[in-house]
């Protein structure tokens, strides 16, 4: 998502609020949609305040800083913002739609030591482990199944007061066909029903969008180049204008593919080799995923936001465990609420498999 979200136009409110919220929640991983909506609410509050006063001084202007989205949706986010401005967003007491996940105090962690020493060697070992990992082909009619655990911290607004809160650790299950046109999601942070909801296309507006790096299908990933230099060049090209910097967005895009997709066997090691060519990549000596598993991390600090994105690997096998986003630098203004050591998002991959039917789990298939 672009760091600076444009001011929404009233015409953007034509879509219903329920459709906007459903679309946004559907395309973001567990917990992230709530953080995004909270940040949008904060920006809109500032816009409304500015309208009631004279031209604001530079100190009054603040940039909308979002945690890394797994799918970048600038147009959807702008439309959601417009719906809030129009006053048609149905909210809970916190100013966002209530989710089925309990809230509590912000998540925190000890900030691990980062170093550039040993980065190439670690990524080489990770690439070798990835090349040895069995990745079955997804046949027509089959589905990729991914089960993960996640939690997140977010800025909560109640009236004029803001505080830092979190959504509790919960399980997320996703099914997706090889071509990406059929799918199902069960996630209490997103779904209104415990049975989940369809991800199948076309969407509510009759659109069947094409797969991209930020919204990939298995078939799309299978066609990507496995040359690390060419792959990284494509990532930079397709994500131009997204995120806070090109390098950070490239790192983020690769990280997204590790979490909720199933990269083909040939592509998997190429992703890590491409990541090693991004400036600013470091090794973090100790990081913990959402399931409490300790490992070593490949990471990069977003200099603009002060967040460090960490990809966590088993220290011995170098298998990917999950990822988290940790605040390592104190922000200013309202962002000062997010103090160093705050875990903005944490995820752990528990199962990743190919199954024969929608909503079938590996244990049922076995």
């Amino acid at each position: 998502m672009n760091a600076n979200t444009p001011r929404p136009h009233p015409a953007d409110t034509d879509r219903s609020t329920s459709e906007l919220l459903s679309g946004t929640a559907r395309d973001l991983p567990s917990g992230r949609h709530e953080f995004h909506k909270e940040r949008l609410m904060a920006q809109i509050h500032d816009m409304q305040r500015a309208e009631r006063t004279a031209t604001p001084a530079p100190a009054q202007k603040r940039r909308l800083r979002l945690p890394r989205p797994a799918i970048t949706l600038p147009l959807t986010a702008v439309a959601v913002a417009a719906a809030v401005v129009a006053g048609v967003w149905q909210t809970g007491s916190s100013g966002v739609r209530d989710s089925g996940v309990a809230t509590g105090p912000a998540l925190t962690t000890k900030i691990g030591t980062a170093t550039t020493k040993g980065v190439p060697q670690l990524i080489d070992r990770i690439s070798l482990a990835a090349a040895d990992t069995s990745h079955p082909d997804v046949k027509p009619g089959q589905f990729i199944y991914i089960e993960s655990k996640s939690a997140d911290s977010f800025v909560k607004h109640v009236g004029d007061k803001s505080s830092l809160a979190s959504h509790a650790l919960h399980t997320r299950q996703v099914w997706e066909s090889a071509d990406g046109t059929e799918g199902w999601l069960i996630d209490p942070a997103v779904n209104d029903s415990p049975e989940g909801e369809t991800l199948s296309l076309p969407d509510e507006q009759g659109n069947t969008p094409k797969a991209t790096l930020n919204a990939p299908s298995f078939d799309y990933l299978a066609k990507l180049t496995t040359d690390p230099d060419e792959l990284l060049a494509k990532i930079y090209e397709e994500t131009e204008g997204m995120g806070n910097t090109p390098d950070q967005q490239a790192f983020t895009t690769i990280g997204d593919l590790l979490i909720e997709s199933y990269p083909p066997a040939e592509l998997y090691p190429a992703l890590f080799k491409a990541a090693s060519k991004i400036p600013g990549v470091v090794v973090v000596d100790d990081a913990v995923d959402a399931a409490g598993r300790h490992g070593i991390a490949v990471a990069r600090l977003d200099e603009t936001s002060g967040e460090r994105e960490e990809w966590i690997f088993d220290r011995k096998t170098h298998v990917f465990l999950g990822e988290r986003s940790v605040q390592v630098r104190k922000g200013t203004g309202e962002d000062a609420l997010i103090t160093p050591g705050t875990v903005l998002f944490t995820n752990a991959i528990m199962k990743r498999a190919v199954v024969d039917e929608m909503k079938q789990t590996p244990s049922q298939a076995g």
Side-chain angles (χ1 to χ4, degrees):
M1 186 171 189
N2 290 332
N4 296 303
T5 302
R7 184 186 178 115
H9 189 278
D12 289 333
T13 62
D14 289 344
R15 290 172 57 191
S16 72
T17 305
S18 61
E19 290 173 343
L20 291 171
L21 294 179
S22 176
T24 303
R26 181 173 294 125
D27 290 325
L28 294 176
S30 165
R32 295 282 177 89
H33 69 294
E34 295 292 348
F35 196 116
H36 283 231
K37 286 186 283 187
E38 287 284 359
R39 303 301 286 174
L40 286 168
M41 289 290 291
Q43 187 194 35
I44 291 159
H45 176 76
D46 285 352
M47 290 193 304
Q48 292 172 330
R49 181 177 59 189
E51 288 176 351
R52 294 193 299 267
T53 62
T55 302
Q60 291 177 289
K61 298 179 181 179
R62 59 188 293 273
R63 181 180 56 79
L64 174 64
R65 184 185 65 74
L66 298 176
R68 151 178 104 64
I71 308 286
T72 52
L73 292 172
L75 295 180
T76 303
V78 171
V80 172
V84 180
V85 171
V88 296
W89 199 340
Q90 296 177 354
T91 67
S93 61
S94 65
V96 297
R97 183 178 68 86
D98 292 329
S99 74
V101 177
T103 59
L107 307 173
T108 60
T109 188
K110 179 182 178 181
I111 299 175
T113 302
T115 178
T116 57
K117 184 178 179 180
V119 172
Q121 293 83 354
L122 176 60
I123 292 184
D124 282 346
R125 291 193 290 270
I126 290 170
S127 299
L128 288 172
D132 290 339
T133 302
S134 175
H135 280 218
D137 290 332
V138 186
K139 300 175 182 179
Q142 291 186 314
F143 294 84
I144 294 170
Y145 171 78
I146 300 174
E147 180 180 321
S148 60
K149 292 184 179 295
S150 64
D152 69 288
S153 300
F154 63 98
V155 177
K156 182 176 183 179
H157 300 280
V158 179
D160 292 332
K161 296 183 179 180
S162 300
S163 61
L164 203 57
S166 70
H167 289 112
L169 185 69
H170 55 278
T171 297
R172 174 181 172 92
Q173 296 172 284
V174 176
W175 291 261
E176 187 178 88
S177 61
D179 62 4
T181 62
E182 295 182 80
W184 194 266
L185 169 67
I186 299 178
D187 186 336
V190 175
N191 306 138
D192 292 324
S193 167
E195 296 180 357
E197 63 181 297
T198 182
L199 300 180
S200 298
L201 300 173
D203 61 18
E204 294 93 334
Q205 289 73 49
N207 302 316
T208 304
K210 294 182 179 180
T212 66
L213 279 170
N214 281 315
S217 65
F218 181 86
D219 290 347
Y220 173 86
L221 295 176
K223 296 176 182 178
L224 289 179
T225 177
T226 56
D227 179 276
D229 292 306
E230 294 178 3
L231 180 60
L232 187 58
K234 179 177 178 62
I235 291 171
Y236 275 110
E237 180 181 0
E238 286 204 13
T239 61
E240 184 178 2
M242 299 178 184
N244 288 328
T245 66
D247 290 336
Q248 186 62 35
Q249 186 59 36
F251 188 82
T252 288
T253 298
I254 294 174
D256 294 341
L257 297 178
L258 301 179
I259 298 175
E260 204 155 270
S261 70
Y262 205 162
E266 298 79 10
L267 180 65
Y268 204 40
L271 289 170
F272 296 116
K273 292 177 182 178
S276 70
K277 300 176 182 293
I278 300 173
V281 173
V282 298
V283 173
V284 176
D285 61 345
D286 184 56
V288 187
D289 72 4
R293 299 175 297 192
H294 285 257
I296 191 168
V298 173
R300 191 179 192 282
L301 174 65
D302 185 333
E303 296 285 353
T304 304
S305 67
E307 296 175 32
R308 189 170 71 195
E309 182 179 338
E310 302 175 349
W311 307 341
I312 306 169
F313 299 86
D314 184 276
R315 193 177 297 275
K316 294 182 178 179
T317 65
H318 299 103
V319 170
F320 178 71
L321 300 177
E323 66 102 41
R324 68 178 183 178
S325 180
V326 179
Q327 192 75 19
V328 300
R329 293 183 180 174
K330 186 175 178 62
T332 59
E334 186 179 88
D335 286 348
L337 288 171
I338 308 175
T339 55
T342 300
V343 178
L344 294 169
F345 177 76
T346 181
N347 168 277
I349 300 298
M350 307 309 295
K351 295 179 183 178
R352 199 188 314 247
V354 176
V355 296
D356 294 325
E357 298 178 13
M358 184 95 80
K359 293 187 277 186
Q360 181 184 58
T361 64
S363 60
Q364 294 170 331

